[in-house]
Amino acid sequence: MKRRDFLMASGAAVAGLSGASLTARDLWAAEPASHDLRIQPATYAFRDTPTQGLISLSPDAPPPVLRGKRGEAMRLAVHNTTPDYTAMHWHGLRIPNGMDGVPYLTQMPIGEGETFVYEFTPPDAGTYWYHPHCMTMSQMAHGLTGVMVIDEDDDPGFDSESVINLRDFRLQDDGRFLPYYTARGAARGGTHGNVLTANWQQGPIYDHGSGTLVRLRVVNTDTTRIYRLHLGDALVRIIAWDGHPVDQDLPLPTKDVPMLVGPGQRVDFAVQMPEHEGQVVELTAELPGRRTQVMATLRSLGATSARSLAALRPLAKNPLAIPDLDTAELHEFVFGWTPEGGVPNDGYCGSLGYSFWSINRTPWAGDAAEGTGPLATLERGKSYVLRLRNESPNLHPIHLHGLAFVPLRSNLRTLPQLWTDTALLLKDEIIEIALVADNPGDWAFHCHVIEHQKTGLAGYLRVT
Ligand code: C2O
Ligand code: CU
Ligand code: CU
């Protein structure tokens, strides 16, 4: 069978995903815990003219929301039909190291025509996501980022749900891709897209019953943009942050003080839909230059069911080990420019051709089998405090695989102690985080601005 016929055949299964009157729940319907994922070229019309050269899991739609359940086994067979190497990473999931999808560190890259079967049992419920970790820059920039929802043991009592995958694309007016990164951007805050999307659509509208309770899961899967978000004066509560339940009352973001959600980060809101049909809740992004953009809208439909946020039960806690701060050992990490420059090894997983960034003054040697060692070795079961210091004027969402951590303090602001896998470091910020090294393996540790990651701001921690 020719490559093209093959693509056409595999497209049949996703027909009908674009009906306008479907609710968000229908659109992102639950799938069984076994998934066959086929990485393939895709075409999609963001505006009037279709954009070719996307990479997704179907020929004409964004990567789907994958669902699993806490404590239940999942099997994800990832088949690569593209000529480039790849590897799939399950961001935020605390799973065995061999299933983490990091080339050379945990597995060999997946070549054209090859399949890698990922099998794991998610220990935590919440909002997570997936993306490649080999050819990361080009495959993510061309579309390959999707949301993964791990359901709680018990239904937390929402009427419905909307899942929002926020990301930019860099397109010309005729729909063709602009260069997906620039050296200038990589050496500074990253190269931003110019078409901002939610689930690959610009300002989609999702209908929910008037007066119902909606779980709104917002995921920033962009390669660069730090989203500044708020929901106007809607009746909402922040119920989870980076996957894990929030057990305190957090101040709600506003237009003047929006919430910073860096690449890789997630926030779950409980939303009480307005009581009159047609009223809306707008997920709004504040952009540079005082611009504002509605990323997605929830719209009330039908007669009110008059439910109230007060009726929601709190989400059950995930089984996270509490760090012992009395015995915790301190390790320091400095994130900044690299004095030497140089070119990372590009192996099979791609290089942007520059080293601009470093951790502890050493740029990552590149995603290849050689020239790397752990930044630190942690003893299994012990508690650690990691001091993360940003020595640059740019912001860095620093992400650690395989473990969850909690911020303790910052030199610039008061941070709520929320479990996370990604700490957003502001200009000149120093944040101390604490964790228990309870998952053995080599865990990637890098900035989630992918241009920074791929030009040096990467490494790994070893848990023995
Ligand atoms: Cu979201 Cu190393 O990844
Ligand atoms: Cu990750
Ligand atoms: Cu960075």
Side-chain angles (χ1 to χ4, degrees), residues 89-92 100 102 129-133 136 140 263-264 399-401 421-422 444-448 450 453:
H89 170 57
W90 318 99
H91 181 123
D100 196 43
V102 179
W129 66 293
Y130 60 96
H131 61 82
H133 227 281
T136 316
M140 285 178 67
H399 171 51
L400 175 60
H401 288 211
D421 49 64
T422 306
F445 183 49
H446 61 88
C447 180
H448 226 292
I450 308 299
Q453 177 192 355

Side-chain angles (χ1 to χ4, degrees), residues 395-397 447 449 452 457:
L395 279 61
H396 302 286
C447 180
V449 170
H452 294 172
L457 220 164

Side-chain angles (χ1 to χ4, degrees), residues 310-327:
L312 276 178
R313 293 181 297 279
L315 297 174
K317 282 190 169 47
N318 285 324
L320 296 156
I322 308 295
D324 176 359
L325 297 181
D326 295 333
T327 62

Side-chain angles (χ1 to χ4, degrees), residues 236-267:
V236 302
R237 187 189 298 158
I238 297 167
I239 55 165
W241 175 250
D242 288 341
H244 301 288
V246 165
D247 58 2
Q248 50 187 280
D249 260 327
L250 293 178
L252 293 175
T254 62
K255 183 174 173 57
D256 293 330
V257 189
M259 171 173 225
L260 295 185
V261 182
Q265 298 196 286
R266 296 86 69 199
V267 56

